Amino acid sequence: MARLRGRLASALWPGNCLACGADGEQGCDLCPLCEAAIPWHPGACRRCALPLAAEKANTTNPHDTASATCASCLAEPPPLVEVRAACTYGAPLDRLAPRFKFHGDLAAGRVLSALMVQAFAALPRPDAIVPVPLHRSRLRQRGYDQALELARPLASALGVPLLDGALLRAIATSPQSRLDAADRRYNVEDAFDVRPRVDLPAHVVLVDDVMTTGATLHSAAQCLYRAGAVRVDAWVAARVP
């Protein structure tokens, strides 16, 4: 009966594509054209997720991080051992992500989280997933934490413990989107703390929506290392190339 009601609702009140506004299909959140256009992330450096040249990306061993690392990360290894991006930041992700992050569109967030589940389902499981938190003042203003909204269904689908609240945003930093790369690093330096009496497992994955320069994720990773984590990775919905 519930399934029948769902089919009737889809027929009587067809949904619209969250990316372009066109008619949805059988209750889907994306139209067929936008779904076909999803920019899955190509072969990329395993330390920063920036695209690699085709000949270097086609490694025979997908878990050999050294053979798929860009020159910049080889010269100056970042604190993240591995970074995975579900998609490249482009259409239709460049419409979904801002709607989710800045305009309260949690349905768009569910689409992004579903893309992450699909992209990361075959990866080795970490000991825990940690969402990159908002400062409490930004959380009050926005009403939800976008990283937590991505991490909760991702952790559930992959069967990985979610450490919600283990990482705290100690400083109310300026929005990163307004800053250049150097100022981004300075802006989030020492911006995070780990909640007292939290025992971190050895292998932790940070979850966030979009990675641009990596400054926020790097600062969060360094905080987790200081609190006892042995390996910190990051999984993001989209990577800005």
Side-chain angles (χ1 to χ4, degrees):
M1 180 62 71
R3 189 177 300 173
L4 176 59
R5 283 198 298 267
R7 286 199 296 266
L8 285 173
S10 295
L12 294 173
W13 299 284
N16 285 43
C17 175
L18 296 177
C20 71
D23 289 342
E25 187 175 83
Q26 297 180 349
C28 293
D29 290 321
L30 295 178
C31 69
L33 288 177
C34 285
E35 186 172 2
I38 289 170
W40 298 106
H41 205 54
C45 171
R46 295 187 180 277
R47 301 300 298 267
C48 68
L50 284 175
L52 289 168
E55 62 271 16
K56 189 166 185 180
N58 291 333
T59 176
T60 56
N61 181 359
H63 300 301
D64 182 1
T65 58
S67 65
T69 304
C70 70
S72 178
C73 289
L74 285 173
E76 190 175 348
L80 294 164
V81 175
E82 190 166 294
V83 177
R84 299 283 186 159
C87 300
T88 301
Y89 192 78
L93 271 293
D94 57 359
R95 298 168 220 159
L96 293 173
R99 286 182 57 170
F100 169 51
K101 186 169 185 174
F102 300 116
H103 302 290
D105 192 339
L106 298 183
R110 289 192 291 272
V111 173
L112 297 178
S113 186
L115 295 177
M116 295 174 77
V117 171
Q118 186 173 343
F120 306 147
L123 295 181
R125 300 296 193 261
D127 297 322
I129 284 175
V130 174
V132 175
L134 293 175
H135 188 267
R136 58 183 178 274
S137 61
R138 188 75 54 81
L139 180 60
R140 283 196 299 269
Q141 181 184 36
R142 189 171 295 172
Y144 63 97
D145 185 326
Q146 74 273 4
L148 178 59
E149 294 297 325
L150 295 175
R152 187 183 288 117
L154 180 63
S156 177
L158 300 185
V160 179
L162 175 67
L163 294 184
D164 175 22
L167 186 65
L168 304 174
R169 193 93 171 218
I171 300 173
T173 56
S174 302
Q176 291 284 83
S177 58
R178 302 174 185 171
L179 305 174
D180 61 22
D183 286 339
R184 283 174 184 243
R185 289 191 295 272
Y186 178 77
N187 187 47
V188 294
E189 187 176 1
D190 298 325
F192 297 95
D193 279 333
V194 170
R195 189 180 297 278
R197 294 182 293 280
V198 168
D199 292 324
L200 291 175
H203 183 191
V204 175
V205 165
L206 286 162
V207 167
D208 209 356
D209 54 346
V210 177
M211 181 178 181
T212 305
T213 65
T216 299
L217 288 165
H218 292 173
S219 180
Q222 288 161 345
C223 177
L224 293 174
Y225 284 127
R226 290 193 296 269
V230 176
R231 169 174 173 165
V232 183
D233 299 339
W235 293 350
V236 297
R239 178 63 158 108
V240 175

